């Protein structure tokens, strides 16, 4: 540790720290623009000049290493004069257009100009003009004349997002930040550049000119999209969500959020919001009141139970629903005498039911410190943007990453070992890794594994995992695609055996905001024999919570067919959807209009309140289900608040639910069998994961969203069909066929066809995995 003095106060900091770090530890503010605690040092704005005793001239606090006994003055006459001179230079070319600037009111340059700027400028020449750039639907670069070249956006792209999409051209007064030769900014984390920009050069395109920052109310919330549970500040005006920015929490999302979390709010304000209960009478839809609608539902459920038995009643919900909603939905179904409730809508193998509760297996902070990581079946960057960013930082500091997947997506980080094989061969490859581990440790292989030849890649992965110890920790993780795989329980069993034998952690990179909470709420079948059958057999009455047949199921075609056969389908959704199969539409609140709890991938329960009032006659789903329980005469439906429901599920004051979670289970391993011919692998497009995201207009105009409307084929398949990029091909799965443009992906195995799931373009096709045929259209 090194002791220095800043403005008469002594502080100790580690050797190698900068003066700025010491000032931050003391709570002493030094003005700055280019410095950011999560980014590398650039020292190019010079706003943080301070006086250091015995130094002939002021030095930048962000780039001056501390030395023992150093004496620093941050607000002496010498330091203040230097800071004011820098500010004068920064404002020479600034357009001074604060009245029309979106950044006005939260602009670092504006704030510091008050304290360090002069009342008039000595600069009489013409100011420079920098032409705007179009970098996509999310970030506006309309006023780049405001840019002060702090390069925060450039460094964020390189260091955090992992891709340098912006850079600086030219030198001197001709310098400008731009994208590469007319390219757009397509990173799934790009919106963080808006937060980082200390001036109004980069602003939010969807929010632009919507409101002034001082008109907005700021309210805390939690992301309802991926499994991380990012903390948010939701900004509201006139009972409408107008902007979402990160709330810093180093243990979860640090100071970043994904573009999905940031821009999905547009989906909350769409014209297809359902605001009144609706009933289908004689084939015609009519608006009604809540009392009539709920009495109709209660009467219908009682009738079905009386005529067909309790087993004819089922419920399907997405895991983006809150803990309270899922708990009460499970209470209604079980109160009627049925066990048919399911939230794992995109899964097809339910062998783990009643045996394991998939979760990360450790804290997010611990995940970021692992030194050996093996990820199985994950579109990592798109499924888990911020976990991928954490992993990227770890890899830069020496972590070895190994991957097993069916596609070779660019992860924007160094991958030590990768196996890119068809989904039907994943079990065979894991058997190779298990055999390699068994050979090195001289233990018996898991029962059920046939004799296999261990490949170099499998041996390297085994060696990496076996090098794990207390100081060099490792982990084996299953991604969304592994959980959705037709042999998910077998993959789990082999991965678990590898983890146990190598002494590494084991867990899941969970899919949705409340995938873990769904298990705690009992929103999965308690009886393993029932699991998976909610949609395999036609039910007479089905309750749908936040689920859309064409988007949220492993086989959208079959889901639509089952729903069409039901006598009564009750759709609880914030949006007008399901007209073709529903009998009742109940408008329930999205996460911004209700209080609730999400349990994230690490088992952390995070409660939040509604940030705006429910729109029209919309009601929180937990209240709707509580009243429905009362009308059905069910017990344990006397809750007055969402907090009371939460406490009944996880206990009062409990935030860490990890003690209730367990990935470990005993499953016998069967020999793997591969599929002959072409087989499908599906990614759920990053901007198609849930109902709110799918309705965000800006997100649907991104390159990522557009990629879901094409089918990716290997070079071998392109050669066989004799087609060029963009040509149309006909895809056939079972009895269903669709026509789509083809995209060449040279990294795909020759037998793999990549088709997105969760999008309208492919919903008619069938299951997310399995045999598929391709022919020229």
């Amino acid at each position: 540790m090194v002791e220095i003095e800043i403005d008469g106060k002594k502080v100790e900091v580690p050797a190698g720290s900068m003066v700025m770090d010491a000032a931050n530890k003391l709570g002493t503010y030094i003005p700055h623009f280019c410095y950011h605690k999560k980014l590398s040092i650039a020292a190019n704005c010079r706003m943080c000049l301070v006086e250091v005793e015995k130094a002939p001239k002021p030095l930048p606090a962000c780039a001056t290493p501390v030395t023992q006994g150093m004496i620093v003055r941050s607000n002496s006459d010498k330091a203040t004069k230097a800071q004011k001179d820098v500010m004068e230079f920064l404002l020479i070319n600034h357009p001074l257009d604060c009245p029309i600037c979106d950044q006005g009111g939260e602009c670092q340059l504006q704030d510091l100009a008050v304290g360090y700027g002069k009342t008039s400028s000595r600069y009489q020449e013409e100011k420079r003009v920098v032409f705007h750039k179009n970098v996509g639907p999310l970030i506006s670069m309309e006023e780049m004349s405001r840019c002060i070249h702090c390069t925060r956006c450039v460094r964020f792209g390189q260091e955090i997002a992992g891709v340098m999409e912006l850079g600086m051209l030219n030198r001197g007064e001709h310098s400008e930040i731009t994208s590469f030769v007319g390219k757009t900014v397509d990173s799934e984390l790009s919106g963080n550049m808006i937060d980082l920009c200390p001036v109004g050069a980069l602003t939010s395109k969807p929010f632009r000119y919507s409101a002034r920052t001082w008109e907005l109310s700021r309210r805390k919330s939690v992301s309802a999209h991926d499994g991380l549970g990012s903390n948010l500040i939701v900004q509201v005006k006139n009972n409408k969500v107008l902007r979402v920015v990160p709330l810093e929490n180093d243990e979860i999302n640090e100071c970043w959020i994904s573009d999905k979390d940031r821009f999905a709010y547009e989906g909350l304000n769409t014209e297809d919001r359902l605001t009144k209960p609706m009933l289908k009478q004689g084939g015609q839809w009519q608006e009604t009141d809540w009392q009539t609608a709920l009495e109709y539902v209660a009467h219908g459920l009682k009738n079905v139970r009386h005529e067909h038995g309790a087993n004819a009643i089922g419920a399907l919900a997405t895991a983006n629903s809150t803990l309270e909603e899922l708990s009460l939905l499970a209470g209604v179904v079980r109160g009627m005498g049925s066990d048919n409730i399911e939230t794992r809508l995109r899964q097809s193998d339910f062998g783990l039911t009643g045996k394991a509760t998939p979760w990360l297996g450790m804290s997010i902070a611990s995940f970021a410190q692992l030194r050996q990581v093996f990820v199985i079946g994950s579109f990592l960057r798109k499924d888990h943007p911020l976990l991928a960013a954490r992993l990227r930082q770890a890899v830069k500091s020496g972590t070895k990453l190994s991957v097993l997947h069916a596609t070779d997506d660019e992860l924007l980080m160094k991958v030590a070992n990768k196996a890119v094989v068809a989904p039907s061969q994943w079990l065979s490859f894991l058997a190779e890794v298990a055999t390699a581990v068994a050979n090195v440790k001289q233990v018996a292989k898991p029962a059920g594994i046939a004799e296999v030849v261990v490949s170099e890649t499998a041996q390297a992965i085994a060696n990496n995992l076996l090098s794990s110890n207390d100081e060099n920790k490792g982990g084996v993780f299953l991604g969304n695609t592994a959980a959705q795989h037709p042999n998910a329980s077998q993959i789990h069993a082999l991965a678990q055996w590898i983890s146990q034998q190598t002494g590494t952690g084991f867990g899941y990179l969970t899919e949705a905001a409340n995938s873990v909470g769904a298990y705690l709420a009992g929103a999965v079948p308690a009886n393993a024999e029932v699991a998976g059958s909610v949609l395999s057999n036609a039910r007479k009455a089905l309750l749908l919570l936040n689920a859309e047949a064409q988007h949220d199921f492993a086989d959208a075609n079959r889901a639509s067919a089952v729903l069409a056969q039901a006598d009564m389908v009750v759709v609880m959704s914030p949006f007008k959807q399901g007209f073709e199969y529903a009998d009742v539409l109940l408008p329930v609140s999205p996460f911004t209009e209700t209080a609730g709890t999400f349990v994230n991938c690490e088992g952390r329960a995070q409660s939040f309140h509604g940030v705006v009032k429910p729109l029209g006659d919309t009601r929180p789903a937990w209240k709707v289900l509580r009243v429905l329980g009362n009308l059905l005469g069910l017990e344990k439906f006397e809750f007055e608040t969402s907090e009371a429901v939460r406490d009944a599920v996880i206990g009062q004051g409990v935030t860490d639910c990890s003690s209730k979670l367990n990935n470990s289970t005993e499953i016998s391993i069967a020999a793997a069998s591969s599929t002959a011919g072409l087989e499908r692998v599906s990614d759920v497009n990053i901007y198609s994961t849930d109902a709110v995201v799918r309705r965000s207009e800006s997100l649907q105009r991104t390159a990522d969203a557009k990629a879901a409307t094409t089918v990716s084929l290997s070079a071998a398949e392109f050669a066989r069909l004799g087609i060029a990029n963009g040509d149309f091909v006909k895809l056939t799965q079972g009895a269903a066929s669709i026509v789509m443009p083809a995209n060449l992906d040279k990294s795909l195995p020759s037998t793999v066809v990549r088709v997105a799931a969760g999008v309208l373009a492919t919903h008619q096709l069938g299951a997310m995995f399995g045999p598929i045929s391709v022919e020229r259209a």
Side-chain angles (χ1 to χ4, degrees), residues 372-374 400 402 433 437 459-469 472-476 498-499 501-505:
Q372 311 290 340
V373 177
F374 183 23
K400 286 187 169 63
S402 303
V433 178
V437 170
Q459 187 66 56
I461 292 172
N463 291 344
N464 278 356
L465 293 174
L466 284 164
S467 68
S468 299
N469 53 47
N472 185 32
K473 293 182 178 176
V476 178
I498 292 166
S499 163
Q501 294 299 321
T502 55
T504 54

Side-chain angles (χ1 to χ4, degrees), residues 710-719 723-727 741-748:
T710 63
V711 53
S712 293
L713 302 174
S714 65
E717 199 58 19
F718 260 70
I723 57 174
N725 229 3
D727 285 356
N743 169 58
L744 174 61
D745 185 346
K746 293 180 180 177
S747 67
L748 274 181

Side-chain angles (χ1 to χ4, degrees), residues 358-369:
W359 70 298
L360 189 61
M362 60 188 69
S363 68
I364 293 164
S366 299
F367 174 82
Q369 292 165 0

Side-chain angles (χ1 to χ4, degrees), residues 5 8 193 276 310 522 550 598 637 652:
E5 183 183 300
M193 296 178 184
K276 283 184 176 296
Q550 295 173 332
F598 292 135
F637 276 82
Q652 192 167 359

Side-chain angles (χ1 to χ4, degrees), residues 444-463:
K445 291 187 303 184
I449 288 187
E451 286 300 319
V452 292
V453 177
V454 178
S455 62
E456 283 185 26
T457 306
Q459 187 66 56
I461 292 172
N463 291 344

Side-chain angles (χ1 to χ4, degrees), residues 77-98:
D77 291 344
K78 187 176 183 180
T80 305
K81 182 182 184 305
Q83 291 159 359
K84 287 184 175 180
D85 290 345
V86 167
M87 178 58 74
E88 187 175 12
F89 275 112
L90 287 174
L91 293 176
I92 275 178
N93 274 310
H94 200 76
L96 307 179
D97 58 350
C98 295

Side-chain angles (χ1 to χ4, degrees), residues 392-434:
R392 189 172 297 120
Q393 301 311 307
V395 167
K396 287 201 291 190
S397 64
T399 293
K400 286 187 169 63
L401 171 64
S402 303
V403 171
L404 167 61
H405 202 29
T407 67
D408 190 13
D409 288 5
E410 177 52 73
L411 297 180
L412 304 175
M413 63 185 106
K414 185 179 178 182
V415 180
N417 308 288
K418 74 172 78 160
V420 183
V421 297
S424 64
Q425 295 169 5
W426 288 4
L427 278 173
S428 300
F429 184 81
L430 288 173
E432 289 179 38
V433 178

